[in-house]
Amino acid sequence: MTTFYKEFQKVFVSVDCIIFGFEANKLKILIGKRQMDPGRGEWSLYGGFVRNDESIDDAADRTLFNLTGLRNVYMRQVGAFGKIDRDPGERVISIAYYALINVKDYDEKLRVQHGVEWVNIEDLPQMYSDHNEMVSQARKQMSRKMKTEPVGFELLPDLFTLTQLQRLYEAVYGEEIDKRNFRKRIKDMEFIEQTELIDKKSSKRGAHLYRFNKKAYKEDPNFKL
Amino acid sequence: MTTFYKEFQKVFVSVDCIIFGFEANKLKILIGKRQMDPGRGEWSLYGGFVRNDESIDDAADRTLFNLTGLRNVYMRQVGAFGKIDRDPGERVISIAYYALINVKDYDEKLRVQHGVEWVNIEDLPQMYSDHNEMVSQARKQMSRKMKTEPVGFELLPDLFTLTQLQRLYEAVYGEEIDKRNFRKRIKDMEFIEQTELIDKKSSKRGAHLYRFNKKAYKEDPNFKL
DNA sequence: TCAAAAGTGTTAGATTTACACCCATGA
DNA sequence: TCATGGGTGTAAATCTAACACTTTTGA
């Protein structure tokens, strides 16, 4: 089969997923104890090897699906990580991807089955290989993305309150946001629509539920938070 | 040697370099006709395969050095490209890097020897495989970088006039910039230092030559253009 | 009745943009 | 002397940031 590049060496290529979720007003990612040698037992991102019959994006989708059973998830490549000895077993080049999911979409039983946990991003343990570095880059890219594109909604239920949305952005940026200024900016974006529904879970008075209207956004794609 | 991941498949990994230069007020990249099958004769970025004894960053440095003889060049990873059939010969995953060099640092003889040319970024031919896509992503990342970090100086001689600097930014952003506003912003950055030297090449009156003071920048790293 | 979260406008300051003329010099 | 690129300041408009009180309701 190898007809053109005989003289060159092949290498293992894997993907690692930084799966972001938002829960209890905290930004979290899914990590677990590595179940494979080398490094068995160390905290680790969930990953997998790229097969010859799939693109790297497909490998990332498949890996995420293996873990969560979810498809059509928002995923973006972070970049390739390729120090010679980044994997203690073999030469492995890994391509990191981050994903944004709604925590409630991830079945608890499945999560437990796979032995992964939602861990606060501010509170990560030391992880296997260069996984901390991957997360740090992923987080930067993700928060930059969230400033100018309406991708944060992937982390929320379809209906959300403005306070939820604000807490999400506070968690992502790692800083408090002025409530009035925040709501002013939201009001300027017509594709974030107030519904008639009221959420009573988080307050006695109740808060309006909002929804992100994708079609309306496409007609006037001006997002900034 | 393969002791841990036997059941997985290895793949070729290459690097491709988007080498930016600035000449005649235009942003350009180095491309050449591919000298290897498959795709021989097509316009192409310069690339090479990653070896097992080097990191992917080192592979990119080595590849750039092979072509230009330059070391310690500003390089950043763009990302991994991994469609199954992106290379018509074999499965090859490629990691794109962009580099910023001063055109005058690249020896003309060497350039001709390697059969590569400086081509205006606005004016690229169709290239081999996904190379146009690589360039397009590289350009976006590079111009975002240039907005907030003083990396544009890598594309200029050590001494430069403000008009040169302005033309560079105009080429990168693809739009005209107001001269007075531009110079006002420059004056606010103390690490862009006026020298006593006058450049007479580009005007009869002569223009002050400026220099980027790296140390001064590190003391007060506030850059925005 | 009170604690807790929802909701609402204004103003000062900072930043950004638009804009036009004189200068120095070599040809 | 004139054509060419170098160099300079101001004012309006926009954007950003700071800030405090009233409302509703379940416990």
Side-chain angles (χ1 to χ4, degrees), chain B residues 14-54:
Chain B
S14 65
V15 296
D16 283 302
C17 299
I18 296 100
I19 304 165
F20 288 106
F22 180 65
E23 194 189 29
N25 291 339
K26 302 282 187 221
L27 184 65
K28 301 183 176 186
I29 65 169
L30 273 178
I31 60 176
K33 299 283 179 76
R34 190 169 153 95
Q35 302 179 359
M36 186 188 216
D37 278 314
R40 192 183 296 268
E42 289 182 53
W43 285 104
S44 168
L45 296 171
Y46 192 78
F49 284 88
V50 175
R51 300 195 309 218
N52 273 337
D53 61 353
E54 64 186 359

Side-chain angles (χ1 to χ4, degrees), chain A residues 192-210:
Chain A
I192 302 179
E193 297 172 343
Q194 196 183 68
T195 68
E196 294 308 308
L197 304 167
I198 303 290
D199 171 87
K200 305 278 289 185
K201 280 191 283 288
S202 57
S203 76
K204 296 162 185 171
R205 174 175 172 180
H208 277 99
L209 285 164
Y210 286 71

Side-chain angles (χ1 to χ4, degrees), chain B residues 148-150 189 191 212-224:
Chain B
T148 55
E149 285 178 54
M189 297 186 262
F191 50 84
F212 170 59
N213 182 331
K214 210 169 198 168
K215 261 183 217 135
Y217 170 69
K218 276 181 188 152
E219 280 161 29
D220 179 27
N222 272 50
F223 185 91
K224 200 85 189 287

Side-chain angles (χ1 to χ4, degrees), chain A residues 19 30 60-73 75 100-107 110 118:
Chain A
I19 305 166
L30 272 180
D61 286 342
R62 175 177 56 80
T63 302
L64 185 76
F65 178 77
N66 281 348
L67 181 65
T68 63
L70 301 173
R71 286 200 196 280
N72 300 121
V73 169
M75 280 189 101
L100 306 180
I101 75 174
N102 177 354
V103 169
K104 295 214 186 81
D105 289 344
Y106 188 13
D107 185 70
L110 211 52
W118 288 111

Side-chain angles (χ1 to χ4, degrees), chain B residues 189-205:
Chain B
M189 297 186 262
E190 290 176 4
F191 50 84
I192 301 178
E193 297 171 344
Q194 194 181 68
T195 67
E196 294 308 308
L197 304 167
I198 304 289
D199 170 87
K200 306 277 289 185
K201 280 191 284 286
S202 57
S203 76
K204 296 161 185 171
R205 173 175 173 179

Side-chain angles (χ1 to χ4, degrees), chain B residues 95-106:
Chain B
I95 302 165
Y97 283 78
Y98 71 85
L100 306 180
I101 75 173
N102 177 353
V103 169
K104 296 215 184 78
D105 289 344
Y106 188 14

Side-chain angles (χ1 to χ4, degrees), chain A residues 178-181 184-185 200 203-206 224:
Chain A
D178 180 273
K179 180 161 63 157
R180 281 182 284 190
N181 291 336
K184 216 183 309 165
R185 288 197 289 270
K200 305 278 289 185
S203 76
K204 296 162 185 171
R205 174 175 172 180
K224 200 84 187 287

Side-chain angles (χ1 to χ4, degrees), chain B residues 87-141:
Chain B
D87 187 290
E90 297 268 348
R91 176 75 195 272
V92 180
I93 291 170
S94 189
I95 302 165
Y97 283 78
Y98 71 85
L100 306 180
I101 75 173
N102 177 353
V103 169
K104 296 215 184 78
D105 289 344
Y106 188 14
D107 186 70
E108 262 311 271
K109 263 173 280 175
L110 211 51
R111 182 183 69 67
V112 172
Q113 233 173 68
H114 279 98
V116 292
E117 301 176 24
W118 288 109
V119 177
N120 187 339
I121 192 89
E122 306 293 354
D123 211 32
L124 292 177
Q126 189 177 331
M127 289 186 281
Y128 176 73
S129 184
D130 48 11
H131 287 191
N132 291 82
E133 172 64 13
M134 288 179 177
V135 172
S136 143
Q137 282 189 222
R139 192 185 177 183
K140 272 192 207 117
Q141 291 188 23

